[in-house]
Amino acid sequence: TMRYYHLFLAILLIGLSACGSSSTATRGSNYPKMYEEKPAVLLIMPPINKTTHVEAKDYFYTTLAWPLCEKGYYVVPPFLAMELMRNESAYDSEQFINGPLDKFHEVFGADALLFTTIHKWSKAALLGTITVNIEYELISTKTHESLFKRRGDITIDLSSGSDSGTSSSSAWGVLGNLLSTTINTALTDKIEAARLCNNYVLRDLPLGKYSSRHDQDQDEPAGSANFKAEVRP
């Protein structure tokens, strides 16, 4: 009986060891085409807004360039690109996401285009949260291959904690926190909310040509393509 018991323990330990040593997803395994094509110049396309929150398109568009630049990419100046696209009736990204993109390489010199689709933008003032469902996809202008793609539900938590001078367990304390949370959410800079979403999702993006660690981050851990997350300002 003891022999079978020890055999069972040995098998269990081997199984646990195998689970513990299972490889974590990396940037190299998740985004191999980024390392094959090595895009250097990116063009941000106007976001595709599938919500009733009309301004959401502008919030995200104005906050996408900075995290890409920090990652080591040259980003075509967004406002100049936007003006040209409007003049050329190319403001609606929906008509390009599944079509040929070589013209964008010819006109802008872009190696890849970043498409974003806003599927949800909802604000719960009483709960102190903004919830966004957004999809990011970087598509090559040369091969039309998807180089990077992530989609997730991101909750931005703006709820207020209780102050030391007020008892949160009292009726007045609860009411005070509720009012504070409501006001905070009502006055929250929506551009800041978009910035937090972009920073969270794009932190997975492999480093670009202008980063000192370009092509050296294949083994960095990477998040899942579909996710749920909570971020705070």
Side-chain angles (χ1 to χ4, degrees), residues 27 35 70-73 203 205-221:
R27 291 178 185 174
Y35 296 97
E70 285 191 318
K71 280 284 186 175
Y73 294 93
R203 69 184 184 184
L205 188 69
L207 296 169
K209 175 182 177 181
Y210 301 102
S211 167
S212 60
R213 295 185 57 245
H214 172 58
D215 215 22
Q216 299 175 28
D217 61 338
Q218 291 95 327
D219 295 329
E220 293 285 332

mmCIF file of all heavy atoms in Angstrom, residues 27 35 70-73 203 205-221:
data_model
loop_
_atom_site.group_PDB
_atom_site.id
_atom_site.type_symbol
_atom_site.label_atom_id
_atom_site.label_comp_id
_atom_site.label_asym_id
_atom_site.label_seq_id
_atom_site.Cartn_x
_atom_site.Cartn_y
_atom_site.Cartn_z
ATOM 1 N N ARG A 27 6.114 37.745 -26.353
ATOM 2 C CA ARG A 27 5.885 38.585 -27.525
ATOM 3 C C ARG A 27 6.288 37.848 -28.797
ATOM 4 O O ARG A 27 5.634 37.971 -29.834
ATOM 5 C CB ARG A 27 6.685 39.885 -27.394
ATOM 6 C CG ARG A 27 6.169 40.812 -26.294
ATOM 7 C CD ARG A 27 7.029 42.055 -26.175
ATOM 8 N NE ARG A 27 6.598 42.883 -25.049
ATOM 9 C CZ ARG A 27 7.232 43.969 -24.634
ATOM 10 N NH1 ARG A 27 8.340 44.359 -25.249
ATOM 11 N NH2 ARG A 27 6.780 44.663 -23.611
ATOM 12 N N TYR A 35 8.225 40.425 -35.827
ATOM 13 C CA TYR A 35 9.667 40.244 -35.884
ATOM 14 C C TYR A 35 10.136 39.867 -37.286
ATOM 15 O O TYR A 35 11.301 40.051 -37.632
ATOM 16 C CB TYR A 35 10.096 39.190 -34.872
ATOM 17 C CG TYR A 35 9.818 39.626 -33.444
ATOM 18 C CD1 TYR A 35 8.666 39.214 -32.783
ATOM 19 C CD2 TYR A 35 10.681 40.484 -32.771
ATOM 20 C CE1 TYR A 35 8.383 39.631 -31.484
ATOM 21 C CE2 TYR A 35 10.421 40.910 -31.481
ATOM 22 C CZ TYR A 35 9.262 40.481 -30.850
ATOM 23 O OH TYR A 35 8.991 40.919 -29.567
ATOM 24 N N GLU A 70 6.718 55.808 -27.847
ATOM 25 C CA GLU A 70 7.499 55.294 -26.720
ATOM 26 C C GLU A 70 7.998 53.882 -26.976
ATOM 27 O O GLU A 70 9.005 53.467 -26.405
ATOM 28 C CB GLU A 70 6.650 55.324 -25.442
ATOM 29 C CG GLU A 70 6.472 56.711 -24.848
ATOM 30 C CD GLU A 70 5.874 56.651 -23.460
ATOM 31 O OE1 GLU A 70 4.944 55.850 -23.256
ATOM 32 O OE2 GLU A 70 6.338 57.401 -22.582
ATOM 33 N N LYS A 71 7.293 53.163 -27.818
ATOM 34 C CA LYS A 71 7.683 51.797 -28.147
ATOM 35 C C LYS A 71 8.795 51.743 -29.204
ATOM 36 O O LYS A 71 9.296 50.679 -29.535
ATOM 37 C CB LYS A 71 6.460 51.007 -28.647
ATOM 38 C CG LYS A 71 5.560 50.491 -27.551
ATOM 39 C CD LYS A 71 6.200 49.286 -26.892
ATOM 40 C CE LYS A 71 5.304 48.634 -25.880
ATOM 41 N NZ LYS A 71 5.906 47.402 -25.348
ATOM 42 N N GLY A 72 9.138 52.893 -29.770
ATOM 43 C CA GLY A 72 10.227 52.914 -30.732
ATOM 44 C C GLY A 72 9.809 52.947 -32.187
ATOM 45 O O GLY A 72 10.559 52.513 -33.064
ATOM 46 N N TYR A 73 8.598 53.480 -32.464
ATOM 47 C CA TYR A 73 8.123 53.573 -33.843
ATOM 48 C C TYR A 73 8.051 55.033 -34.282
ATOM 49 O O TYR A 73 7.835 55.923 -33.461
ATOM 50 C CB TYR A 73 6.736 52.936 -33.978
ATOM 51 C CG TYR A 73 6.749 51.453 -33.732
ATOM 52 C CD1 TYR A 73 6.496 50.942 -32.456
ATOM 53 C CD2 TYR A 73 7.046 50.562 -34.755
ATOM 54 C CE1 TYR A 73 6.536 49.577 -32.214
ATOM 55 C CE2 TYR A 73 7.088 49.199 -34.519
ATOM 56 C CZ TYR A 73 6.835 48.709 -33.252
ATOM 57 O OH TYR A 73 6.883 47.368 -33.012
ATOM 58 N N ARG A 203 1.097 47.967 -24.406
ATOM 59 C CA ARG A 203 2.334 47.598 -23.713
ATOM 60 C C ARG A 203 2.840 46.236 -24.182
ATOM 61 O O ARG A 203 4.013 45.905 -24.018
ATOM 62 C CB ARG A 203 2.115 47.586 -22.200
ATOM 63 C CG ARG A 203 1.215 46.472 -21.682
ATOM 64 C CD ARG A 203 0.980 46.606 -20.195
ATOM 65 N NE ARG A 203 0.199 45.507 -19.659
ATOM 66 C CZ ARG A 203 -0.212 45.439 -18.397
ATOM 67 N NH1 ARG A 203 0.092 46.422 -17.557
ATOM 68 N NH2 ARG A 203 -0.905 44.415 -17.972
ATOM 69 N N LEU A 205 2.942 45.388 -27.349
ATOM 70 C CA LEU A 205 3.493 45.541 -28.693
ATOM 71 C C LEU A 205 5.021 45.405 -28.682
ATOM 72 O O LEU A 205 5.696 46.057 -27.886
ATOM 73 C CB LEU A 205 3.103 46.921 -29.241
ATOM 74 C CG LEU A 205 3.434 47.206 -30.707
ATOM 75 C CD1 LEU A 205 2.567 46.344 -31.628
ATOM 76 C CD2 LEU A 205 3.218 48.684 -31.016
ATOM 77 N N PRO A 206 5.584 44.567 -29.558
ATOM 78 C CA PRO A 206 7.044 44.455 -29.622
ATOM 79 C C PRO A 206 7.692 45.806 -29.898
ATOM 80 O O PRO A 206 7.119 46.668 -30.563
ATOM 81 C CB PRO A 206 7.252 43.483 -30.793
ATOM 82 C CG PRO A 206 6.014 42.638 -30.790
ATOM 83 C CD PRO A 206 4.907 43.579 -30.430
ATOM 84 N N LEU A 207 8.914 45.983 -29.407
ATOM 85 C CA LEU A 207 9.627 47.246 -29.547
ATOM 86 C C LEU A 207 10.029 47.498 -30.997
ATOM 87 O O LEU A 207 10.401 46.588 -31.726
ATOM 88 C CB LEU A 207 10.871 47.239 -28.659
ATOM 89 C CG LEU A 207 10.574 47.154 -27.151
ATOM 90 C CD1 LEU A 207 11.855 46.887 -26.369
ATOM 91 C CD2 LEU A 207 9.899 48.433 -26.658
ATOM 92 N N GLY A 208 9.941 48.778 -31.386
ATOM 93 C CA GLY A 208 10.206 49.150 -32.765
ATOM 94 C C GLY A 208 11.660 49.469 -33.058
ATOM 95 O O GLY A 208 12.534 49.424 -32.181
ATOM 96 N N LYS A 209 11.893 49.845 -34.298
ATOM 97 C CA LYS A 209 13.246 50.084 -34.823
ATOM 98 C C LYS A 209 14.014 51.142 -34.030
ATOM 99 O O LYS A 209 15.243 51.063 -33.906
ATOM 100 C CB LYS A 209 13.118 50.512 -36.284
ATOM 101 C CG LYS A 209 14.420 50.904 -36.948
ATOM 102 C CD LYS A 209 14.172 51.358 -38.372
ATOM 103 C CE LYS A 209 15.475 51.839 -39.026
ATOM 104 N NZ LYS A 209 15.229 52.304 -40.421
ATOM 105 N N TYR A 210 13.312 52.129 -33.500
ATOM 106 C CA TYR A 210 13.992 53.238 -32.836
ATOM 107 C C TYR A 210 14.137 53.033 -31.328
ATOM 108 O O TYR A 210 14.498 53.959 -30.612
ATOM 109 C CB TYR A 210 13.254 54.542 -33.145
ATOM 110 C CG TYR A 210 13.195 54.800 -34.638
ATOM 111 C CD1 TYR A 210 12.028 54.542 -35.355
ATOM 112 C CD2 TYR A 210 14.331 55.217 -35.330
ATOM 113 C CE1 TYR A 210 11.985 54.729 -36.728
ATOM 114 C CE2 TYR A 210 14.295 55.405 -36.711
ATOM 115 C CZ TYR A 210 13.122 55.160 -37.406
ATOM 116 O OH TYR A 210 13.087 55.328 -38.778
ATOM 117 N N SER A 211 13.887 51.839 -30.862
ATOM 118 C CA SER A 211 14.135 51.489 -29.471
ATOM 119 C C SER A 211 15.529 50.865 -29.365
ATOM 120 O O SER A 211 15.963 50.117 -30.262
ATOM 121 C CB SER A 211 13.094 50.493 -28.966
ATOM 122 O OG SER A 211 13.490 49.934 -27.729
ATOM 123 N N SER A 212 16.212 51.144 -28.272
ATOM 124 C CA SER A 212 17.557 50.579 -28.071
ATOM 125 C C SER A 212 17.510 49.061 -27.894
ATOM 126 O O SER A 212 18.531 48.386 -28.037
ATOM 127 C CB SER A 212 18.222 51.223 -26.856
ATOM 128 O OG SER A 212 17.448 50.994 -25.686
ATOM 129 N N ARG A 213 16.329 48.529 -27.599
ATOM 130 C CA ARG A 213 16.186 47.078 -27.392
ATOM 131 C C ARG A 213 15.403 46.428 -28.528
ATOM 132 O O ARG A 213 14.831 45.362 -28.372
ATOM 133 C CB ARG A 213 15.507 46.802 -26.046
ATOM 134 C CG ARG A 213 16.333 47.236 -24.838
ATOM 135 C CD ARG A 213 15.670 46.840 -23.531
ATOM 136 N NE ARG A 213 15.428 45.418 -23.465
ATOM 137 C CZ ARG A 213 14.212 44.869 -23.417
ATOM 138 N NH1 ARG A 213 13.124 45.623 -23.415
ATOM 139 N NH2 ARG A 213 14.073 43.556 -23.352
ATOM 140 N N HIS A 214 15.396 47.083 -29.667
ATOM 141 C CA HIS A 214 14.688 46.538 -30.825
ATOM 142 C C HIS A 214 15.180 45.137 -31.164
ATOM 143 O O HIS A 214 16.377 44.873 -31.191
ATOM 144 C CB HIS A 214 14.894 47.462 -32.029
ATOM 145 C CG HIS A 214 14.364 46.904 -33.319
ATOM 146 N ND1 HIS A 214 13.043 46.534 -33.487
ATOM 147 C CD2 HIS A 214 14.976 46.645 -34.506
ATOM 148 C CE1 HIS A 214 12.858 46.088 -34.706
ATOM 149 N NE2 HIS A 214 14.013 46.133 -35.351
ATOM 150 N N ASP A 215 14.220 44.252 -31.394
ATOM 151 C CA ASP A 215 14.497 42.857 -31.776
ATOM 152 C C ASP A 215 15.169 42.060 -30.661
ATOM 153 O O ASP A 215 15.772 41.018 -30.916
ATOM 154 C CB ASP A 215 15.367 42.816 -33.038
ATOM 155 C CG ASP A 215 15.009 41.636 -33.933
ATOM 156 O OD1 ASP A 215 13.881 41.129 -33.827
ATOM 157 O OD2 ASP A 215 15.867 41.211 -34.726
ATOM 158 N N GLN A 216 15.070 42.543 -29.427
ATOM 159 C CA GLN A 216 15.666 41.830 -28.292
ATOM 160 C C GLN A 216 14.627 41.487 -27.224
ATOM 161 O O GLN A 216 14.982 41.085 -26.120
ATOM 162 C CB GLN A 216 16.763 42.699 -27.648
ATOM 163 C CG GLN A 216 17.906 43.041 -28.567
ATOM 164 C CD GLN A 216 18.892 44.001 -27.925
ATOM 165 O OE1 GLN A 216 19.048 44.022 -26.704
ATOM 166 N NE2 GLN A 216 19.556 44.808 -28.732
ATOM 167 N N ASP A 217 13.342 41.659 -27.543
ATOM 168 C CA ASP A 217 12.301 41.471 -26.524
ATOM 169 C C ASP A 217 11.374 40.298 -26.819
ATOM 170 O O ASP A 217 10.275 40.216 -26.289
ATOM 171 C CB ASP A 217 11.476 42.753 -26.362
ATOM 172 C CG ASP A 217 10.767 43.159 -27.655
ATOM 173 O OD1 ASP A 217 11.215 42.732 -28.747
ATOM 174 O OD2 ASP A 217 9.773 43.892 -27.581
ATOM 175 N N GLN A 218 11.839 39.373 -27.661
ATOM 176 C CA GLN A 218 10.988 38.223 -28.006
ATOM 177 C C GLN A 218 10.568 37.400 -26.801
ATOM 178 O O GLN A 218 9.507 36.780 -26.796
ATOM 179 C CB GLN A 218 11.695 37.309 -29.012
ATOM 180 C CG GLN A 218 11.870 37.921 -30.395
ATOM 181 C CD GLN A 218 13.214 38.569 -30.558
ATOM 182 O OE1 GLN A 218 13.761 39.094 -29.598
ATOM 183 N NE2 GLN A 218 13.779 38.536 -31.763
ATOM 184 N N ASP A 219 11.411 37.372 -25.771
ATOM 185 C CA ASP A 219 11.131 36.533 -24.610
ATOM 186 C C ASP A 219 10.347 37.258 -23.509
ATOM 187 O O ASP A 219 10.080 36.676 -22.456
ATOM 188 C CB ASP A 219 12.435 35.994 -24.018
ATOM 189 C CG ASP A 219 13.153 35.063 -24.984
ATOM 190 O OD1 ASP A 219 12.459 34.388 -25.777
ATOM 191 O OD2 ASP A 219 14.399 35.025 -24.967
ATOM 192 N N GLU A 220 9.981 38.518 -23.763
ATOM 193 C CA GLU A 220 9.187 39.253 -22.777
ATOM 194 C C GLU A 220 7.788 38.641 -22.684
ATOM 195 O O GLU A 220 7.203 38.256 -23.698
ATOM 196 C CB GLU A 220 9.061 40.724 -23.187
ATOM 197 C CG GLU A 220 10.356 41.512 -23.156
ATOM 198 C CD GLU A 220 10.778 41.852 -21.738
ATOM 199 O OE1 GLU A 220 9.898 41.966 -20.861
ATOM 200 O OE2 GLU A 220 11.995 41.979 -21.509
ATOM 201 N N PRO A 221 7.222 38.522 -21.458
ATOM 202 C CA PRO A 221 5.868 37.968 -21.315
ATOM 203 C C PRO A 221 4.843 38.801 -22.075
ATOM 204 O O PRO A 221 4.980 40.027 -22.173
ATOM 205 C CB PRO A 221 5.618 38.035 -19.802
ATOM 206 C CG PRO A 221 6.966 38.137 -19.185
ATOM 207 C CD PRO A 221 7.826 38.882 -20.165
#
